[in-house]
């Protein structure tokens, strides 16, 4: 039982690490307004700046619908957290409108596919056609302040039955984030989104998103967000031109009016690709030099070792010690009750009261205390003799 003491005692005290706040402040960018700017940080009121164009193409062309989701941040220890904060963003929604496809057929098959007031395909499969049109009424409740487009795709060559149609809308919104960094990797989760459908390009003025008027408790920063009208109009024009086009493949090759149409044709999930585009554009807006916005400040965490006592591992040692004390106490009580003398390991007690010594002095048989045994041992002489049975025995002279 004693051998198990060390393994248990070694487990009692451990020195784990725990996160504690560091002195450095964690920073992540956010934005309260959007207006196109040049590489020299000069305003470009009526054009789409190159950084936004790069973000758009990155969102469309990213392999596997996985654009770079990270934004500029400072986290010196690689582990940080932020309280919830809100920022200007791009939201999106796509609707499957395949049920609205109209087919024109004859005796040989269906060679004409079209959407009401939207794109159309003629001939065999393996084609795409996209245009800026409003086909479905399900998206009419959303003010698509960025742009809205529909696409008609028939991927299988010589099979127009395999057709897909979607309509997507993108608009400016205010998103609230839960952000943290773990092992130097930034993670962000959108907790809520808020839009203002009264902010339209038709008003020919800046698009204002006054979050302070919102009743949503999920919005962290109750402030006013703004999109410059000329920048919004320029982005709407650019997106409308970029996402309008067609193309297809056949036995002799392929041809597309733009790389964007080819990317939409080849993607397996158009909705995910558009969502990827919105994230990429949102990151660009947040990373622009917005002097009106304050970066979100958070906590930088560092590791600290501390002493932790695991009391459960004391169970076995305490139980053993307790049982030993109980045994000792019981022995003392029982010895006192039976009037057992304290001889310990004395050899004199064995000689006087053992079976191997014949004492002719009867008084010696009544000696029980070690002090008297010691005194009498000085007076008695014994010798080792052989008995008739050829045994050896101690006898008194």
């Amino acid at each position: 039982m004693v051998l198990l003491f060390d393994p248990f005692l070694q487990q009692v005290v451990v020195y784990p690490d725990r996160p504690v706040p560091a002195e450095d402040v964690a920073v992540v960018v956010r934005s309260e307004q959007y207006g196109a700017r040049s590489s020299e940080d000069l305003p470009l009121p009526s054009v789409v700046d190159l950084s936004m164009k790069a973000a758009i193409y990155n969102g469309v062309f990213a392999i596997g619908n996985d654009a770079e989701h990270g934004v500029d941040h400072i986290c010196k220890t690689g582990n940080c957290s932020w309280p919830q904060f809100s920022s200007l963003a791009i939201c999106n929604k796509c609707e499957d409108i395949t049920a609205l496809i109209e087919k024109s057929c004859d005796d040989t098959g269906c060679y004409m596919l079209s959407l009401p007031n939207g794109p159309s395909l003629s001939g065999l499969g393996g084609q795409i056609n996209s245009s800026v049109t409003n086909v479905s009424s399900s998206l009419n409740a959303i003010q698509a302040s960025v742009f809205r487009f529909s696409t008609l795709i028939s991927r299988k060559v010589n099979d127009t039955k395999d057709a897909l149609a979607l309509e997507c809308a993108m608009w400016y919104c205010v998103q609230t984030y839960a952000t943290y960094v773990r092992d130097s990797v930034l993670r962000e989760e959108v907790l809520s989104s808020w839009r203002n459908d009264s902010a339209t390009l038709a008003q020919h003025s800046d698009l204002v998103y006054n979050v302070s008027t919102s009743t949503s408790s999920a919005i962290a920063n109750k402030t006013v967000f703004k999109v410059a009208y000329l920048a919004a109009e320029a982005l709407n024009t650019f997106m409308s031109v970029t996402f309008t086009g067609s193309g297809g493949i056949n036995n002799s090759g392929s041809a597309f009016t733009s790389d964007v149409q080819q990317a939409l044709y080849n993607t397996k999930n158009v909705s995910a690709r558009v969502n990827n585009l919105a994230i990429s554009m949102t990151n660009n807006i947040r990373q622009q030099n917005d002097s009106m916005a304050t970066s979100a400040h958070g906590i930088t965490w560092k590791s600290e070792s501390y002493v932790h006592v695991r009391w459960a591992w004391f169970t076995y040692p305490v139980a053993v010690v307790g049982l030993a004390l109980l045994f000792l106490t019981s022995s003392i009580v029982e010895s006192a009750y039976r009037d057992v003398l304290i001889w310990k390991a004395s050899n004199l007690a064995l000689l006087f009261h053992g079976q191997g010594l014949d004492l002719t002095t009867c008084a010696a048989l009544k000696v029980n205390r070690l002090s008297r045994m010691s005194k009498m041992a000085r007076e008695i002489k014994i010798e080792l003799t052989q008995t008739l049975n050829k045994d050896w025995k101690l006898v008194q002279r």
Side-chain angles (χ1 to χ4, degrees):
M1 295 177 68
V2 177
L3 294 177
L4 295 176
F5 257 65
D6 282 346
F8 273 82
L9 292 178
Q10 290 172 4
Q11 298 298 324
V12 171
V13 179
V14 293
Y15 304 91
D17 293 333
R18 62 183 175 188
V20 296
E23 296 179 357
D24 299 314
V25 177
V27 179
V28 65
V29 295
R30 53 178 293 271
S31 179
E32 294 180 1
Q33 65 178 7
Y34 169 65
R37 306 188 72 84
S38 67
S39 57
E40 295 81 12
D41 199 28
L42 298 175
L44 299 172
S46 57
V47 298
V48 178
D49 59 272
L50 293 178
S51 65
M52 178 58 81
K53 290 181 179 179
I56 294 171
Y57 292 135
N58 181 50
V60 173
F61 299 142
I63 299 175
N65 296 329
D66 188 20
E68 177 58 51
H69 291 188
V71 293
D72 293 342
H73 63 281
I74 299 176
C75 180
K76 293 184 178 180
T77 63
N79 291 283
C80 300
S81 62
W82 285 265
Q84 296 179 12
F85 65 89
S86 298
S87 180
L88 187 65
I90 303 290
C91 293
N92 73 96
K93 182 179 181 180
C94 288
E95 291 285 346
D96 188 341
I97 56 174
T98 304
L100 300 179
I101 296 178
E102 299 175 350
K103 300 180 179 180
S104 299
C105 306
D106 56 23
D107 295 339
T108 60
C110 301
Y111 301 108
M112 178 67 70
L113 304 178
S114 62
L115 290 171
N117 300 319
S120 61
L121 300 176
S122 60
L124 301 176
Q127 302 180 67
I128 182 174
N129 193 355
S130 304
S131 62
V132 180
T133 53
N134 297 341
V135 177
S136 173
S137 59
S138 60
L139 294 177
N140 289 342
I142 300 174
Q143 181 55 237
S145 48
V146 176
F147 90 122
R148 178 175 171 179
F149 80 104
S150 56
T151 183
L152 178 58
I153 304 173
S154 179
R155 289 193 178 91
K156 290 185 179 179
V157 178
N158 301 332
D159 185 2
T160 56
K161 295 181 180 179
D162 178 54
L164 172 69
L166 291 105
E167 186 168 23
C168 301
M170 303 182 70
W171 61 93
Y172 300 100
C173 62
V174 177
Q175 290 183 338
T176 300
Y177 298 91
T179 305
Y180 64 92
V181 173
R182 290 292 180 272
D183 299 327
S184 300
V185 179
L186 178 70
R187 306 290 186 187
E188 287 193 317
E189 178 185 358
V190 178
L191 301 178
S192 65
S193 297
W194 181 82
R195 69 176 190 265
N196 179 16
D197 288 326
S198 62
T200 67
L201 294 176
Q203 64 190 23
H204 298 287
S205 60
D206 293 345
L207 281 62
V208 178
Y209 300 84
N210 190 356
V211 183
S212 60
T213 62
S214 172
T215 59
S216 175
S217 59
I219 300 176
N221 302 93
K222 296 289 187 177
T223 185
V224 177
F225 298 83
K226 184 176 68 173
V227 179
Y229 167 70
L230 292 179
E233 186 179 45
L235 184 59
N236 175 264
T237 301
F238 178 79
M239 297 293 284
S240 299
V241 173
T242 301
F243 282 81
T244 298
S246 60
I249 60 174
N250 52 39
N251 296 331
S252 60
S254 63
F256 296 90
T257 57
S258 69
D259 293 335
V260 172
Q261 296 303 311
Q262 184 177 2
L264 293 177
Y265 178 82
N266 290 327
T267 186
K268 295 181 179 180
N269 191 332
V270 177
S271 298
R273 184 60 58 97
V274 173
N275 184 68
N276 197 66
L277 169 64
I279 293 175
S280 184
M281 295 173 67
T282 296
N283 291 344
N284 178 263
I285 291 177
R286 289 175 58 183
Q287 294 180 153
Q288 289 200 6
N289 184 15
D290 183 1
S291 60
M292 298 298 294
T294 301
S295 298
H297 292 174
I299 301 174
T300 299
W301 299 96
K302 64 180 181 180
S303 294
E304 177 186 72
S305 298
Y306 66 100
V307 179
H308 176 60
V309 179
R310 298 188 290 186
W311 298 102
W313 288 97
F314 269 122
T315 305
Y316 180 79
V318 169
V320 172
V321 172
L323 291 175
L325 291 175
L326 179 62
F327 177 76
L328 176 60
T329 303
S330 301
S331 300
I332 294 173
V333 172
E334 187 69 14
S335 297
Y337 176 76
R338 295 180 179 273
D339 196 22
V340 176
L341 298 177
I342 304 174
W343 289 345
K344 296 185 179 179
S346 174
N347 292 328
L348 291 176
L350 180 62
L351 289 172
F352 275 96
H353 297 281
Q355 299 297 321
L357 177 62
D358 289 335
L359 296 176
T360 58
T361 303
C362 296
L365 299 176
K366 299 179 181 180
V367 176
N368 291 326
R369 298 189 179 277
L370 288 176
S371 58
R372 295 186 61 187
M373 289 181 191
S374 179
K375 183 179 179 180
M376 186 169 288
R378 296 187 184 95
E379 301 173 356
I380 298 177
K381 294 181 179 181
I382 61 175
E383 62 181 3
L384 184 66
T385 61
Q386 191 174 23
T387 64
L388 297 176
N389 296 328
K390 304 299 181 180
D391 296 329
W392 294 91
K393 191 173 183 179
L394 291 171
V395 295
Q396 184 179 356
R397 286 181 181 180

